Amino acid sequence: MRSLFLFFVIFLCNFFHSQNKQFFYEYRFIPDSTEKKQIATEIMILDIDKKRSLFFGQEIYRSDSTLLSDSKKGIFSMPPDKLMISEQVIKYPNSSQIDYVKLVSYEKYIVSQEVKLPWNLVSEFKTILNHKVQKATVPYGGRRWTAWFAKDIPFQDGPYKFYGLPGLILELEDDTKSHHYTLKGIKDSQEELVYPSLNNYKTSKISYLQFVKLYKNYRINPVANLIGKIPDYQDENGNTVSGQQKVREIEKIKLDQIKKDNNIIEIDLLKK
């Protein structure tokens, strides 16, 4: 029994003092609440070091890394023609302040936000990836969430903006089963992760209240910042296309996308 206890202590020490950790989550979500059988899936990464944790999508990370590498070689590359999760969440040790990085229209915003989660621990247990996990529930963003956390992984962190339990969150799901994160793997990282910066968007730092107003306005008028900025041009057939006409075309595409994106994580952002 004493040797088992020592092994556990050594395990925890290694967790605290070893290299950076990366946790890989499968994220399954339903973008459109009217099409519940259409489930999207993406791998999300939670990278934790001593200074901060960074939560981001694997696909856009790979894309941005490739684009940055090509640009250094003088090669102009285009990102994949597909929707990817571009948002990031940065959390800091012993702090309720987070930075939420979000693209809205054609600009990037770093949103400073305070997140306090009133967790309720439940005496229910199960096993995930050979880790004993305990159940906890919390309301956040207009949804009620159920988390399963492992005390033997000593990080008070988890997917998206969720944190604050006495152990890493291995599984997380909202009560409508629209958003579901499940841990799929753990990796040691020898070096501090530096996210590839393409500097291809105007970046602004704003408060959460400013973001809420901006985001709601964007969903009503997604091309407001394009008006008057697209000049008239000729298409491949030599026909003249007015900039105003192009803005209307983009507006229709954007509004169709927004209409189908009606089941976001923080559903209360859609309230008027």
Side-chain angles (χ1 to χ4, degrees):
M1 181 63 71
R2 185 174 182 273
S3 62
L4 181 62
F5 174 76
L6 288 174
F7 172 81
F8 181 69
V9 170
I10 293 171
F11 171 79
L12 292 181
C13 288
N14 286 336
F15 248 101
F16 281 119
H17 299 293
S18 65
Q19 313 96 323
N20 304 332
K21 296 286 184 182
Q22 289 187 342
F23 300 92
F24 295 81
Y25 292 86
E26 180 186 65
Y27 175 35
R28 295 171 59 84
F29 59 103
I30 300 171
D32 185 351
S33 61
T34 67
E35 297 286 346
K36 293 187 177 181
K37 292 184 179 180
Q38 300 297 320
I39 300 174
T41 303
E42 186 159 344
I43 296 298
M44 305 296 294
I45 300 173
L46 177 64
D47 183 271
I48 300 179
D49 63 29
K50 293 180 180 179
K51 298 178 182 178
R52 59 92 186 108
S53 72
L54 175 62
F55 186 69
F56 57 94
Q58 184 180 66
E59 285 198 51
I60 198 162
Y61 175 79
R62 288 176 173 172
S63 173
D64 286 352
S65 297
T66 300
L67 293 177
L68 182 61
S69 176
D70 286 348
S71 69
K72 290 179 178 179
K73 300 174 186 175
I75 302 172
F76 178 74
S77 302
M78 293 293 290
D81 186 19
K82 62 182 295 187
L83 291 176
M84 297 178 286
I85 297 176
S86 61
E87 62 191 13
Q88 302 172 26
V89 178
I90 307 169
K91 309 189 196 87
Y92 303 95
N94 304 313
S95 174
S96 58
Q97 290 293 135
I98 70 167
D99 286 332
Y100 177 52
V101 184
K102 177 77 172 177
L103 290 178
V104 180
S105 189
Y106 300 96
E107 296 186 20
K108 179 186 289 185
Y109 295 92
I110 302 175
V111 184
S112 178
Q113 179 183 1
E114 183 175 37
V115 176
K116 294 184 177 180
L117 300 171
W119 289 103
N120 175 48
L121 272 60
V122 182
S123 295
E124 293 184 29
F125 302 87
K126 65 178 183 178
T127 301
I128 299 175
L129 293 181
N130 295 320
H131 295 277
K132 181 181 178 181
V133 293
Q134 183 176 351
K135 182 178 179 179
T137 61
V138 70
Y140 181 73
R143 300 179 184 275
R144 186 158 190 84
W145 298 85
T146 296
W148 295 90
F149 66 96
K151 289 183 178 180
D152 65 333
I153 304 181
F155 295 106
Q156 295 185 13
D157 213 329
Y160 193 57
K161 300 178 183 179
F162 294 87
Y163 77 102
L165 287 167
L168 185 76
I169 298 171
L170 304 196
E171 185 175 341
L172 180 72
E173 186 175 40
D174 78 299
D175 57 358
T176 70
K177 301 186 183 301
S178 295
H179 300 271
H180 187 188
Y181 297 92
T182 306
L183 185 70
K184 293 297 183 180
I186 303 173
K187 177 184 175 182
D188 286 337
S189 178
Q190 299 293 334
E191 299 178 356
E192 179 181 346
L193 181 141
V194 178
Y195 195 93
S197 178
L198 302 177
N199 296 317
N200 53 348
Y201 293 100
K202 176 185 176 182
T203 302
S204 303
K205 292 186 177 182
I206 60 175
S207 69
Y208 184 68
L209 289 178
Q210 289 173 317
F211 168 72
V212 171
K213 182 179 179 180
L214 179 148
Y215 182 73
K216 289 184 176 182
N217 288 339
Y218 164 74
R219 291 185 69 95
I220 295 170
N221 185 3
V223 295
N225 62 342
L226 293 181
I227 295 174
K229 294 184 179 180
I230 299 180
D232 297 346
Y233 66 96
Q234 288 188 329
D235 63 18
E236 63 274 11
N237 298 317
N239 300 315
T240 299
V241 180
S242 72
Q244 187 177 7
Q245 177 185 340
K246 187 61 180 179
V247 169
R248 286 197 298 267
E249 292 174 2
I250 295 173
E251 180 181 37
K252 184 180 184 306
I253 293 171
K254 291 288 186 182
L255 287 174
D256 287 343
Q257 291 175 346
I258 289 170
K259 183 178 179 181
K260 295 177 182 178
D261 185 30
N262 55 53
N263 200 24
I264 61 176
I265 291 181
E266 296 184 47
I267 197 70
D268 57 1
L269 284 173
L270 303 188
K271 296 178 181 177
K272 295 182 180 180

